[in-house]
Amino acid sequence: MDNLITLVNKIQRACTALGDHGEESALPTLWDSLPSIAVVGGQSSGKSSVLESVVGKDFLPRGSGIVTRRPLVLQLHKIQEGKEYAEFMHLPRKRFNDFAAVRKEISDETDRETGRSKAISTVPIHLSIFSPNDGQPESIVQDIENMVRSYIEKPNCIILAISPANQDLATSDAIKISREVDPRGDRTFGVLTKIDLMDKGTDAVDILEGKSYKLRYPWIGVVNRSQADINKSVDMIAARRREHEYFKNSPEYGHLTDRMGSEYLGKVLSKHLETVIKSRIPGLQSLISKTISELEAELTRLGKPIANDAGGKLYTTMEISRAFDQIFKEHLDGVRPGGDKIYGVFDNQLPAGLKRLQFDKHLSMDNVRKLITEADGYQPHLIAPEQGYRRLIESCLVTIRGPAEAAVDAIHGILKELVQKSIRNAAIQSLERMRDESRRATLQLVDMECCYLTVEFFRKLPQDAEKGGNPTHSIFDRYSDTYLRRIGSTVLSYVNMVCASLRHSIPKSVVYCQVREAKRSLLDYFFAELGKKEIKQLSSLLDEDPAVMQRRTNLAKRLELYRSAQSEIEMVAWDK
């Protein structure tokens, strides 16, 4: 069976290891792609003995009760009513109502006898369970059948149907359920046990020769060890030798010796398994390669694990900062979406805000008269109301601060949207500093227009004297509606000129103080802040969702196991 052991071990070792990670995976698909052997048969038909004979090892527990490091002799007692409880022989008069405590006492009593060296003891533990139930549900037969069927109905399952020769095959549970799930018999191997225990004058020759109860693959007869052999520790080699002698010297089965016995059964199964498994290798390789690619992609998306030492944490933080800085710049430069919103503020929001200011209301006749007369004070102006002009212009321009400040805040909001959540706090602190600087610089543009008027604008205006007017006309003529209306029109023209200029200069100030500064110095700000952090503070910056950390660990383990499986299966493929 060397070929079978080599092939199956290489594949199944990887497959079974994949089940250790404790989460969903492609394992069921991978495992189901491999053939398996299910040994089915009625009670005491010889299933355990056949399985041990095929494997060549005496490994299955035997005896009454459950066999662990000490035999457990279990007695079930049915009581009429009341709660279930348990009693140990070594603890008389003590009842256990909690069966978790029963499990613990079994473990503790085992350690008291064998110590903690995991040694074996033949001294049994006697346990009695008292219950109003008989220990098995009424549906036990159906439950067992359903369990068996869940395995053997899989198309990759090879069915080893065990039937005792001293019972009527017409009533064989193994044959019945095998034919239900494998009507053509493509994956059913019939094994006839207890041939040596048949009544005198009867034999199983017709069955073994395929004349009755014919299967696709010929029946194979075996002679298992008796209970006496097991008690005497007769090993498998001696048992197989005696089995071979039985068939060779039997007048009924001598001509069938070459295809009878446990050793022959093992060879048949080995050859069949090798053929089936090798045919599955290309599909297995494809499935594993696909899964490896998916795992690698997800691990890349999750990023590298965070280091534990101070240097590693600092390096990780700086790498995150650099990655963020690059992505942030790509958003602003148009490589990634988001930067276009900044232009939208300059091209739509700011002009619309300026347009909504409605300077004509500020320059109503009543307001112009009010400000002009207030500016003149006790001394009326001589030629032109310069102070009145200043107050009118300032009262208009100061309203531009609102749209200008709104533009600064809008750009700040856009920049915050582009900030990665992982280092959001540090980035926003820096952006807020830039916003404040931008607000100061932008509002200074407005204030500068208020505090110093463009003289050339007014010098170009026609003067009253040039039009033939009299500069010495009365004070009442100077506050006439026509005169004030012309002042209001002049101020409106000047304010519109300033607005046109600010519409271009405000975006420049915002980009210079916020957008350009964010691109240029955001990373420097991060590094400067990192230099002030202690190791605990760095750790807090790198705090990661435990679920993400666990996910990364599980994925890494799965990836390692799948790569191991891939390597093992490729070795098998090359050996073909």
Side-chain angles (χ1 to χ4, degrees):
M1 294 182 61
D2 289 345
N3 291 338
L4 171 64
I5 293 174
T6 301
L7 188 60
V8 174
N9 281 356
K10 284 183 177 179
I11 299 177
Q12 290 188 345
R13 185 167 63 249
C15 291
T16 53
L18 292 172
D20 294 339
H21 48 69
E23 60 177 78
E24 77 288 346
S25 68
L27 172 62
T29 304
L30 180 58
W31 181 261
D32 291 342
S33 299
L34 290 173
S36 58
I37 298 176
V39 182
V40 299
Q43 185 177 1
S44 299
S45 60
K47 298 183 295 297
S48 297
S49 296
V50 170
L51 190 55
E52 287 183 333
S53 296
V54 170
V55 175
K57 299 292 182 182
D58 188 355
F59 67 96
L60 293 175
R62 296 177 179 275
S64 58
I66 303 170
V67 178
T68 55
R69 286 164 53 214
R70 290 177 63 181
L72 178 64
V73 179
L74 177 64
Q75 292 181 322
L76 301 179
H77 301 270
K78 185 173 183 178
I79 57 178
Q80 295 302 317
E81 58 184 10
K83 294 184 178 180
E84 296 178 331
Y85 65 94
E87 290 182 351
F88 289 94
M89 182 179 291
H90 64 276
L91 294 174
R93 297 182 299 278
K94 181 176 181 180
R95 291 188 177 185
F96 290 79
N97 298 107
D98 182 1
F99 281 81
V102 172
R103 288 197 300 272
K104 185 176 185 303
E105 179 58 26
I106 292 174
S107 177
D108 292 344
E109 177 63 11
T110 301
D111 288 340
R112 283 192 286 267
E113 175 67 26
T114 64
R116 297 186 178 274
S117 61
K118 303 301 180 183
I120 301 298
S121 172
T122 59
V123 179
I125 298 174
H126 293 268
L127 172 65
S128 296
I129 296 179
F130 299 82
S131 171
N133 304 312
D134 60 6
Q136 293 181 340
E138 295 180 359
S139 61
I140 185 66
V141 175
Q142 187 62 45
D143 291 344
I144 293 175
E145 183 175 327
N146 291 340
M147 180 190 67
V148 172
R149 193 183 299 275
S150 69
Y151 285 93
I152 65 175
E153 66 185 2
K154 296 176 182 178
N156 286 327
C157 179
I158 298 170
I159 305 171
L160 207 58
I162 310 298
S163 299
N166 58 355
Q167 294 181 14
D168 188 358
L169 285 185
T171 62
S172 170
D173 294 329
I175 296 300
K176 176 177 177 294
I177 195 171
S178 298
R179 284 179 172 168
E180 288 178 4
V181 299
D182 181 31
R184 294 177 50 185
D186 293 335
R187 50 193 181 87
T188 301
F189 289 82
V191 179
L192 210 57
T193 62
K194 302 187 178 181
I195 293 177
D196 55 326
L197 301 180
M198 295 182 70
D199 295 336
K200 289 185 178 182
T202 62
D203 59 57
V205 174
D206 288 347
I207 299 173
L208 296 175
E209 289 181 345
K211 296 178 181 178
S212 62
Y213 300 103
K214 187 175 182 180
L215 299 177
R216 182 180 181 87
Y217 301 105
W219 284 84
I220 298 175
V222 297
V223 176
N224 296 324
R225 293 180 299 167
S226 65
Q227 189 61 47
D229 293 334
I230 295 171
N231 294 339
K232 295 177 182 178
S233 300
V234 175
D235 61 34
M236 288 297 175
I237 296 177
R240 282 185 174 181
R241 187 183 303 114
R242 191 158 57 185
E243 179 187 41
H244 180 75
E245 292 297 324
Y246 171 84
F247 284 111
K248 181 179 179 181
N249 297 326
S250 170
E252 294 86 4
Y253 310 114
H255 63 294
L256 300 172
T257 301
D258 292 342
R259 55 186 182 90
M260 292 292 117
S262 303
E263 188 172 359
Y264 176 75
L265 174 62
K267 291 179 180 179
V268 170
L269 290 176
S270 176
K271 185 176 181 180
H272 186 76
L273 274 173
E274 285 189 73
T275 302
V276 175
I277 292 176
K278 287 179 179 179
S279 69
R280 301 286 192 274
I281 286 179
L284 291 172
Q285 289 175 313
S286 176
L287 175 60
I288 291 178
S289 296
K290 177 184 176 184
T291 306
I292 288 176
S293 298
E294 292 173 351
L295 291 174
E296 289 174 339
E298 187 168 0
L299 278 172
T300 300
R301 183 181 62 81
L302 290 177
K304 298 179 181 179
I306 297 172
N308 294 322
D309 60 290
K313 289 182 183 295
L314 180 60
Y315 176 79
T316 301
T317 308
M318 294 176 69
E319 284 296 297
I320 293 174
S321 300
R322 288 193 183 95
F324 162 78
D325 186 64
Q326 180 61 34
I327 294 172
F328 185 74
K329 289 177 179 177
E330 290 175 358
H331 280 295
L332 294 177
D333 294 338
V335 179
R336 297 171 182 260
D340 55 314
K341 294 181 180 179
I342 295 176
Y343 178 74
V345 172
F346 299 149
D347 195 49
N348 299 309
Q349 179 181 322
L350 179 60
L354 294 174
K355 193 173 183 179
R356 285 194 298 268
L357 292 179
Q358 298 179 331
F359 296 120
D360 53 339
K361 291 185 179 180
H362 286 275
L363 300 174
S364 65
M365 189 66 66
D366 291 339
N367 200 44
V368 171
R369 178 180 286 108
K370 176 177 179 293
L371 291 179
I372 290 294
T373 56
E374 287 179 353
D376 282 349
Y378 71 90
Q379 175 67 59
H381 61 273
L382 299 177
I383 298 177
E386 182 176 334
Q387 292 300 322
Y389 272 119
R390 290 186 182 277
R391 289 197 181 186
L392 285 170
I393 292 172
E394 183 178 344
S395 68
C396 291
L397 293 184
V398 74
T399 61
I400 300 177
R401 291 172 63 95
E405 193 169 2
V408 172
D409 290 338
I411 299 303
H412 179 65
I414 293 171
L415 295 177
K416 283 203 303 183
E417 287 180 5
L418 302 181
V419 171
Q420 295 286 332
K421 185 179 180 181
S422 59
I423 45 177
R424 185 173 182 272
N425 292 336
I428 288 179
Q429 288 176 7
S430 181
L431 291 179
E432 287 176 348
R433 176 180 58 81
M434 298 173 191
R435 178 198 58 188
D436 295 341
E437 176 62 25
S438 178
R439 178 183 288 124
R440 185 187 64 80
T442 302
L443 295 183
Q444 277 183 342
L445 291 175
V446 179
D447 294 341
M448 283 188 290
E449 293 290 349
C450 292
C451 70
Y452 186 82
L453 304 185
T454 303
V455 178
E456 293 298 322
F457 176 85
F458 293 97
R459 287 177 177 172
K460 293 178 181 179
L461 294 175
Q463 302 299 315
D464 288 345
E466 294 175 1
K467 290 186 175 182
N470 184 0
T472 62
H473 53 62
S474 70
I475 186 172
F476 299 103
D477 293 335
R478 299 188 181 196
Y479 296 119
S480 66
D481 288 351
T482 301
Y483 182 70
L484 295 176
R485 189 177 293 111
R486 185 157 62 89
I487 291 175
S489 176
T490 300
V491 170
L492 181 60
S493 297
Y494 182 81
V495 169
N496 286 335
M497 180 193 73
V498 172
C499 280
S501 175
L502 288 176
R503 180 178 173 179
H504 298 292
S505 59
I506 287 175
K508 292 178 181 179
S509 174
V510 170
V511 168
Y512 182 84
C513 295
Q514 283 178 272
V515 180
R516 171 184 170 277
E517 187 67 12
K519 289 176 60 178
R520 187 181 68 84
S521 64
L522 194 59
L523 186 60
D524 295 337
Y525 177 82
F526 289 157
F527 287 165
E529 289 299 308
L530 289 176
K532 304 174 185 177
K533 303 293 183 183
E534 300 291 338
I535 180 62
K536 291 183 178 180
Q537 293 174 306
L538 283 176
S539 298
S540 66
L541 285 177
L542 295 173
D543 276 349
E544 190 175 30
D545 185 350
V548 174
M549 297 174 66
Q550 185 60 46
R551 177 68 175 168
R552 184 189 293 110
T553 300
N554 291 343
L555 288 173
K557 183 177 181 181
R558 289 177 58 189
L559 181 60
E560 179 183 357
L561 293 171
Y562 271 104
R563 284 172 175 166
S564 174
Q566 185 181 52
S567 176
E568 297 286 356
I569 294 176
E570 286 177 352
M571 290 174 62
V572 174
W574 281 106
D575 290 342
K576 290 196 296 181

